Amino acid sequence: MNSSELLDLYRGEMEDTSLPYLWSDEDIFRYQNDAQKMFARDTGGIPDGSTAAVTQIAVTPADDWYALHPSILQIRTASRSDTGRPVEVLNFEDMPERRWYFDGNTGMLRAMVIGIERHKVRMWPFPSETVTVNMTVFRLPLVEITDQGDQEFEIDPEHHRHLLHWMRHLGYLKQDSETFDKSKSEEFAGRHLAYCAKVKEEEARKRNKTRFVRYGGI
């Protein structure tokens, strides 16, 4: 389903198929854009390990601070592109117990420290080399849904129809006597959160392989 098809589905669900429309196309595309972002946020994010602009950091000896793409919600793993060896993703609060400090000493990259500033990481120790760091991340959608129509969504097709929950939540908040309904808005916000919780639980199961317990002598 693309953005134009979801617009038609929204109008059908909201019984808004005759001119003049209660919700403009611009309204509905804006609801779609917000709904896809909220779905990604409330399910933990879209997994990505291949979009270079998002998942790669070019480290040089000139700096230890690097910008993260603003779409990133969580860094899952990091590794060196030259050897494939892992680069630890470390919380800033965990540094003192390791006796690691930003003291200006240089060396080969060992860790990326998060949580100091928004959308930034700091490399430790201060890099003495040039290396690309590859990351796997959970992120928000990269492309805005606009009024151009026929745009593809970044979330899996099985979830497209369920974006209507958040879209209807927003639609019923429109400040107009024919559209505003706080009770219905809250109902569909609840449906959105319930669906996202179910999806998050399912995705967590997919990412964890089943372990079998073996008992001695059996």
Side-chain angles (χ1 to χ4, degrees):
M1 187 181 301
N2 61 36
S3 59
S4 294
E5 292 167 332
L6 189 59
L7 178 146
D8 291 339
L9 188 57
Y10 177 88
R11 291 205 182 280
E13 293 279 332
M14 300 295 273
E15 299 182 350
D16 186 34
T17 56
S18 300
L19 293 171
Y21 294 135
L22 296 174
W23 291 274
S24 68
D25 287 1
E26 183 181 21
D27 287 336
I28 298 171
F29 286 126
R30 187 170 65 251
Y31 299 162
Q32 289 181 18
N33 188 60
D34 197 60
Q36 183 174 222
K37 287 182 179 179
M38 289 302 297
F39 176 85
R41 182 174 284 114
D42 290 332
T43 57
I46 300 169
D48 192 347
S50 62
T51 307
V54 178
T55 63
Q56 291 187 349
I57 299 177
V59 177
T60 69
D63 197 2
D64 61 344
W65 282 101
Y66 294 87
L68 291 174
H69 195 278
S71 70
I72 294 176
L73 295 173
Q74 180 184 357
I75 302 173
R76 302 170 67 186
T77 64
S79 61
R80 300 174 61 99
S81 63
D82 54 354
T83 64
R85 295 179 64 84
V87 175
E88 187 170 7
V89 181
L90 189 68
N91 293 320
F92 177 62
E93 292 77 10
D94 295 330
M95 292 190 68
E97 66 183 47
R98 300 189 180 202
R99 299 176 184 265
W100 287 6
Y101 308 101
F102 294 113
D103 53 12
N105 288 331
T106 62
M108 294 185 64
L109 180 63
R110 294 179 60 183
M112 296 168 45
V113 182
I114 61 175
I116 306 174
E117 293 189 20
R118 283 171 52 83
H119 307 309
K120 288 185 179 181
V121 295
R122 194 171 184 183
M123 302 300 176
W124 188 90
F126 198 101
S128 62
E129 58 182 338
T130 297
V131 63
T132 298
V133 175
N134 293 328
M135 300 179 293
T136 59
V137 304
F138 290 118
R139 62 167 175 80
L140 295 173
L142 299 177
V143 180
E144 298 284 313
I145 302 298
T146 68
D147 59 359
Q148 299 301 312
D150 296 332
Q151 288 183 262
E152 299 297 327
F153 297 101
E154 293 187 60
I155 62 174
D156 291 339
E158 65 194 274
H159 305 306
H160 292 177
R161 181 184 180 87
H162 299 279
L163 294 177
L164 285 169
H165 295 323
W166 192 257
M167 292 169 62
R168 295 182 73 170
H169 158 68
L170 295 174
Y172 283 122
L173 288 178
K174 183 177 179 180
Q175 298 298 305
D176 185 284
S177 60
E178 294 186 86
T179 59
F180 182 78
D181 190 322
K182 184 178 179 181
S183 177
K184 285 187 176 180
S185 178
E186 291 175 350
E187 174 190 344
F188 282 101
R191 292 189 187 187
H192 162 82
L193 291 173
Y195 182 75
C196 289
K198 181 179 179 181
V199 171
K200 192 171 184 178
E201 182 180 344
E202 290 175 349
E203 291 300 315
R205 286 201 301 268
K206 291 177 186 177
R207 287 193 286 267
N208 290 279
K209 67 179 181 179
T210 303
R211 291 177 171 82
F212 297 95
V213 178
R214 294 181 179 273
Y215 297 94
I218 300 179

